[in-house]
């Protein structure tokens, strides 16, 4: 069953995937009586696109929340870049280069696209309060240097035209794109995407798929994504882990997972 | 087509990141400053300066303070009156101990005492939100009011229980006390207000202001991105209370001349909150517009019967005043919940595309 061995491998399109970036070992997460994750182990390798799939309530979002320190598992440990941790605050996860998007867009609705993406660079800005008071010298230089990076992200995602629009006024599809921009602005080493294409039409999904592939290829960013659309998963993912009722039922390359009987049963709703 | 940006190409991010990227806006700012610093002191009557402009500026300053906290950081407070009081009493004690020090410096220093107290009462905001936070700021208001009465040291053991502003000079001019001229007091207040508005505007347009707005719009996402709520919220409380504290010190030293606890009671907290809401949450321009609306409109309404020769007795005018202002506030909030600042922005937008309808 545990097909994927944490060893370097070559993807179908010939990219070298090598070295474990993150390893989850025997993670168990409970909310009172509900056990959202039951002893799951899997790994994410440097440079790959790793999909997490499963029916509703399988524990996918909970898993991302564990990875970036928002939930603390009762059991198990997490190894990130060789360092073992059991507890971590989201702030520290962000500092270590983990950034994410949310299942329900979690943008700063009152702020413009530009400010939202600038917000993604918060951790990289260091000029102190006194310089900020004057908005002069180092503080202004810093602001402008980061503005340049943010404009790169804006160009990349093709959202120049909504730069100055408060995101609350944008259609849902664009909001998802801005949220990706905010995560990218942090230049993450691990990017977590929770259903990045939910609620999108076909065209928007194609755009988003292209951006995700480009991020992975051009910036070499490791991506873990949750997605319901099997077609999209087959196209994007290098390896897939399948959850059902908080348990891992399959793990491996998309083609292999798709033909797995347990996975078919889970998706068709065969009683356990 | 007078107000427009056509032909003004921003060639660098430095230009684009300027707080007023449009030339006409910059010209307008200089124009307002010219009117405020030159025209009003030269041509304004003592009544206009003393009863309208000085309190308007001071309340605008206090509104900016509250706007930092409520409009930009999303933390509602009913303690503004008390934080203004802290600034006023601190300034009074400072000038008692350091009578020779320039009073303007002391006014600016007294804000730090308000900032310290504000941060202490801001600590609960790390755990509680919304309605419950309002209750704790209200508790701060009542506790501080109690201190202003029960700690006679604060008012130098005066039998009256009030603080009376001594005469102080700065730059060779009398700036406080009964013999200070309205124009001099006005210019001092105006300089402080312009300076602090500039400072607050700098903060808002930079990283710190963004962390405030992130907390306001979605605190959980802000934390996941790497904002530490402790720093963001407490810095907002500190800046907000600092500005309110300076406003309180100015209120007593450059306008009232003497004050006791009533000048800093919860009614003032509400007054400032109304100014912020009417003017527009999260807008510096709105803070000025809101203060102008709430402070100046009653004065104008009071003047109407006199000017038109109508014979209405004073108490009826007062009642009418309450009714008109109250009704306007309600109408206004229904029509434009984002306040005067939004109307202002819409007007500018219209002007930008004028004379074309779209
Ligand atoms: N904060 C929480 N408190 C209590 N229970 C929770 C909490 N978060 C998740 N759960 C429960 O954990 C289980 C897994 O939820 P999770 O959101 O991880 O599922 P998911 O796989 O992301 O589902 P979906 O596809 O609907 O997004 C569900 O039964 C859910 O009710
Ligand atoms: Mg989910």
């Amino acid at each position: 069953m545990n097909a994927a061995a944490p060893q370097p491998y070559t993807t179908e399109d010939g990219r070298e995937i090598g070295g474990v970036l993150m390893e989850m070992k025997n993670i168990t997460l409970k909310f009172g009586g509900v056990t959202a994750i039951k002893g799951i182990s899997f790994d994410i390798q440097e440079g790959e696109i790793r999909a997490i799939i499963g029916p509703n309530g399988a524990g996918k979002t909970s898993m991302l929340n564990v990875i970036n320190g928002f939930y603390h598992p009762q059991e198990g440990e997490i190894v990130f870049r060789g360092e073992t941790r059991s507890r971590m605050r989201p702030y520290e996860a962000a500092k270590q280069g983990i950034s994410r998007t949310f299942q329900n867009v979690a943008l700063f609705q009152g702020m413009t696209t530009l400010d939202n993406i600038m917000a993604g660079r918060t951790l990289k800005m260091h000029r102190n309060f006194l310089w900020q008071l004057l908005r002069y010298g180092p503080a202004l230089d810093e602001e402008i240097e980061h503005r340049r990076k943010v404009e790169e992200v804006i160009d990349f995602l093709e959202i120049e035209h909504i730069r100055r629009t408060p995101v609350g006024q944008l259609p849902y599809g664009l909001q998802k794109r801005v949220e990706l921009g905010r995560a990218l602005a942090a230049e993450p080493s691990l990017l977590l995407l929770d259903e990045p294409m939910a609620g999108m039409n076909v065209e928007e999904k194609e755009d988003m798929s292209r951006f995700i592939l480009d991020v992975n290829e051009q910036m070499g960013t490791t991506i873990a994504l949750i997605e319901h659309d099997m077609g999209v998963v087959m196209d994007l993912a290098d390896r897939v882990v399948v959850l059902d009722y908080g348990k891992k039922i399959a793990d491996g390359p998309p083609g292999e997972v798709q033909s797995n009987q347990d996975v078919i049963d889970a998706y068709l709703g065969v009683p356990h | 087509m007078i107000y427009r940006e056509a032909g003004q190409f921003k060639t660098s991010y430095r230009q684009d990141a300027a707080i007023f990227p449009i030339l006409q806006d910059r010209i307008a700012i200089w124009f307002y400053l010219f009117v405020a610093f030159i025209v009003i002191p030269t041509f304004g009557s003592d009544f206009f300066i003393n009863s309208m402009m000085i309190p308007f500026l001071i309340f605008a300053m206090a509104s900016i303070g509250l706007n930092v906290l409520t409009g930009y950081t999303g933390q509602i407070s009913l303690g503004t009156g008390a934080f203004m009081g802290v600034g006023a009493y601190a300034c009074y004690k400072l000038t008692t101990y350091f009578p020779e020090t320039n009073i303007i410096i002391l006014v600016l220093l007294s804000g730090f005492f308000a900032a310290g107290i504000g941060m202490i009462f801001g600590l609960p905001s790390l755990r509680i939100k919304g309605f419950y936070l309002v209750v704790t700021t209200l508790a701060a208001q009542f506790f501080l009011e109690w201190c202003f009465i029960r700690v006679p040291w604060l008012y130098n053991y005066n039998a009256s229980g009030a603080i009376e502003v001594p005469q102080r000079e700065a730059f060779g001019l009398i700036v406080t006390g009964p013999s200070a001229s309205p124009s001099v007091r006005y210019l001092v207040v105006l300089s402080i207000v312009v300076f602090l508005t500039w400072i607050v505007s700098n903060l808002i347009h930079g990283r710190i202001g963004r962390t405030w707005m992130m907390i306001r719009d979605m605190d959980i996402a802000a934390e996941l991105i790497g904002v530490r709520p402790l720093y963001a919220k407490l810095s907002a409380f500190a800046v907000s209370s600092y500005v309110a504290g300076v406003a309180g010190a100015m209120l007593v030293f450059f306008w009232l001349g003497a004050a006791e606890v009533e000048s800093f009671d919860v009614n003032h907290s509400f007054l400032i909150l109304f100014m912020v809401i009417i003017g527009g949450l999260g807008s510096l321009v709105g803070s000025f517009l809101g203060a102008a609306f709430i402070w100046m409109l009653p004065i104008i309404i009071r003047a109407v019967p006199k000017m038109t020769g109508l014979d209405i007795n004073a108490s009826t005018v007062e009642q009418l005043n309450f009714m008109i202002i109250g009704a306007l506030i309600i109408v206004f909030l229904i029509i434009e919940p984002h306040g005067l600042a939004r109307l202002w922005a819409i007007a500018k937008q219209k002007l930008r595309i004028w004379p074309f309808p779209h």
Side-chain angles (χ1 to χ4, degrees):
Chain A
M1 179 87 300
N2 291 322
Q7 277 151 16
Y9 67 99
T10 310
T11 61
E12 287 161 20
D13 54 339
R15 281 171 305 120
E16 298 280 336
I17 302 297
V20 177
L21 180 65
M22 173 166 263
E23 198 177 355
M24 316 293 285
K25 292 183 182 164
N26 262 314
I27 302 291
T28 295
L29 176 73
K30 297 183 188 134
F31 297 106
V34 182
T35 309
I37 300 177
K38 298 171 187 143
I40 292 185
S41 305
F42 73 101
D43 65 274
I44 301 171
Q45 299 217 21
E46 199 101 44
E48 74 178 341
I49 298 183
R50 185 75 148 125
I52 303 173
I53 66 169
N56 288 101
K60 307 180 294 295
T61 300
S62 304
M63 192 51 125
L64 284 201
N65 283 331
V66 167
I67 294 178
N68 86 325
F70 192 56
Y71 290 163
H72 304 294
Q74 278 77 11
E75 285 165 36
E77 54 185 39
I78 305 165
V79 187
F80 183 59
R81 288 192 167 144
E83 262 178 60
T84 303
R85 68 187 213 214
S86 56
R87 249 187 114 78
M88 182 187 258
R89 293 192 44 82
Y91 172 78
E92 292 156 338
K95 243 190 147 100
Q96 294 202 358
I98 302 177
S99 68
R100 70 174 289 182
T101 66
F102 299 82
Q103 186 165 351
N104 312 305
V105 179
L107 285 170
F108 306 113
Q109 298 286 327
M111 297 163 68
T112 61
T113 299
L114 190 59
D115 276 341
N116 266 280
I117 301 181
M118 281 294 271
R121 295 194 69 79
T122 303
L123 274 175
K124 299 196 180 298
M125 302 182 75
H126 307 291
R127 291 295 157 239
N128 67 27
F129 196 76
L130 289 177
W131 282 118
Q132 300 278 343
L133 284 177
L134 303 177
R135 195 180 160 79
Y136 184 73
L140 190 56
D141 292 345
E142 181 181 56
E143 183 88 6
I144 283 156
E145 172 200 325
H146 288 279
R147 175 71 191 277
R148 196 161 289 138
K149 287 265 192 259
V150 164
E151 289 292 338
E152 282 171 26
V153 173
I154 288 178
D155 281 351
F156 175 77
L157 294 174
E158 299 157 18
I159 46 178
E160 296 90 344
H161 57 294
I162 53 165
R163 209 188 258 123
R164 300 267 177 202
T165 315
V167 295
Q169 298 170 12
L170 296 174
Y172 190 72
L174 274 180
Q175 292 201 15
K176 284 248 165 198
R177 214 188 274 190
V178 175
E179 203 189 19
L180 174 63
R182 184 179 69 186
L184 287 179
E187 299 176 67
S189 52
L190 176 59
L191 177 62
L192 309 173
L193 305 174
D194 196 344
E195 305 198 17
M197 328 215 188
M200 287 187 166
N201 61 33
V202 177
E203 196 184 329
E204 287 172 325
K205 277 188 184 182
E206 279 171 1
D207 281 342
M208 187 55 97
S209 301
R210 181 163 54 85
F211 293 134
I212 292 172
L213 284 173
D214 283 352
V215 168
N216 180 248
E217 274 165 29
Q218 292 172 15
M219 308 178 192
T221 309
T222 308
I223 297 172
L225 74 97
I226 296 174
E227 186 46 60
H228 272 298
D229 186 325
M230 272 312 238
V232 170
V233 172
M234 294 303 135
D235 284 349
L236 292 182
D238 297 315
R239 289 192 304 157
V240 182
V241 53
V242 190
L243 309 185
D244 186 25
Y245 287 104
K247 288 210 187 88
K248 179 165 107 170
I249 57 170
D251 190 348
E256 195 175 297
V257 161
Q258 203 176 19
S259 54
N260 182 306
Q261 192 56 44
D262 288 337
V263 177
I264 295 167
D265 290 350
Y267 269 87
L268 294 180
V270 169
H272 292 246
Chain B
M1 293 233 274
I2 299 163
Y3 179 80
R4 56 182 320 186
E5 47 193 319
Q8 296 179 30
F9 297 107
K10 294 150 201 133
T11 48
S12 72
Y13 295 133
R14 191 173 290 271
Q15 282 170 20
D16 199 42
I19 289 171
F20 298 107
I22 299 178
L23 179 65
Q24 282 87 339
D25 279 338
R26 286 196 296 274
I27 294 174
I29 290 291
W30 287 113
F31 174 73
Y32 298 141
L33 289 177
F34 173 76
V35 170
F37 275 98
I38 311 286
V39 178
I40 289 178
T42 316
F43 299 105
S45 67
D46 276 1
F47 172 80
F48 177 69
I49 289 180
N50 200 40
S51 301
M52 295 182 83
M53 287 311 292
I54 295 180
F56 152 65
L57 286 171
I58 291 171
F59 286 127
M61 183 91 284
S63 301
I64 287 177
L66 182 59
N67 223 334
V68 163
L69 195 59
T70 304
Y72 287 97
T73 319
Q75 315 293 308
I76 305 170
S77 163
L78 279 180
T80 320
F83 295 135
M84 291 172 74
V86 173
Y89 283 90
C91 194
Y92 184 62
K93 292 310 290 186
L94 282 173
T95 196
T96 306
Y97 287 116
F98 308 101
E100 298 306 322
T101 310
N102 185 328
I103 189 70
I104 296 171
I105 292 174
L106 294 183
V107 165
L108 291 174
L109 283 180
S110 57
F112 288 106
F113 292 84
I117 302 277
M119 279 165 78
I120 293 171
F121 285 107
L123 283 172
S125 73
L126 300 174
R127 302 307 294 267
I128 55 179
K129 293 179 196 173
F131 184 67
Y132 296 93
L133 184 64
V134 174
V135 173
T136 59
T137 59
L138 204 54
Q141 171 75 37
F142 291 133
F143 172 74
L144 290 168
E145 274 185 40
W146 180 87
C147 292
F148 299 152
I149 298 170
R150 298 291 160 177
V151 185
W153 175 80
L154 284 174
Y155 44 87
N156 289 356
Y157 305 95
N158 283 342
S160 63
I163 49 180
E164 269 162 44
V165 174
Q167 179 165 317
R168 291 285 183 262
E169 296 178 7
F171 314 114
L173 293 167
I174 302 170
V175 294
T176 67
S179 37
S181 86
S183 332
V184 169
R185 285 184 282 123
Y186 166 77
L187 283 173
V188 172
V189 169
L190 178 66
S191 308
I192 293 175
V193 170
V194 168
F195 172 67
L196 288 185
T197 304
W198 175 70
I199 294 278
V200 171
S201 162
N202 285 341
L203 285 176
I204 284 166
H205 287 89
R207 170 176 60 87
I208 304 217
R210 266 195 307 274
T211 61
W212 292 343
M213 290 185 267
M214 288 157 79
I215 291 284
R216 172 194 69 189
D217 285 352
M218 190 161 285
D219 51 356
I220 292 177
E223 196 175 351
L224 292 176
I225 281 179
V227 173
R228 267 173 294 186
L230 177 79
Y231 286 76
K233 287 184 179 169
L234 289 191
S235 65
F237 267 95
V239 172
S240 165
S241 315
Y242 175 86
V243 173
V246 171
M250 293 196 297
L251 185 75
V252 177
F253 278 74
F254 301 124
W255 190 51
L256 294 174
E260 45 194 321
V261 66
E262 280 77 27
S263 305
F264 310 110
D265 61 8
V266 72
N267 287 338
H268 283 80
S269 298
F270 277 113
L271 183 75
I272 306 294
L273 186 62
F274 287 150
M275 289 176 176
V276 168
I277 292 174
I278 291 290
L281 287 161
S283 161
L284 292 183
V285 174
S287 301
F288 284 93
L289 296 177
F293 185 89
I294 301 239
W295 184 256
M296 294 197 176
L297 205 60
I299 299 181
I300 294 169
I301 293 174
R302 256 177 240 133
V304 167
K306 246 188 277 167
M307 290 187 318
T308 54
L310 278 177
D311 186 27
I312 312 175
N313 75 39
S315 69
T316 315
V317 174
E318 249 357 82
Q319 300 297 333
L320 276 176
N321 220 337
F322 274 120
M323 287 162 63
I324 295 173
I325 299 284
L328 275 176
I329 290 179
I330 293 169
V331 169
F332 199 73
L333 288 181
I334 293 170
I335 297 174
E336 185 47 80
H338 296 282
L340 290 164
R342 174 62 71 85
L343 289 183
W344 179 256
I346 293 172
K348 278 205 326 194
Q349 191 58 36
K350 289 249 158 72
L351 201 55
R352 185 179 289 191
I353 51 178
W354 186 83
F356 309 108
H358 295 292

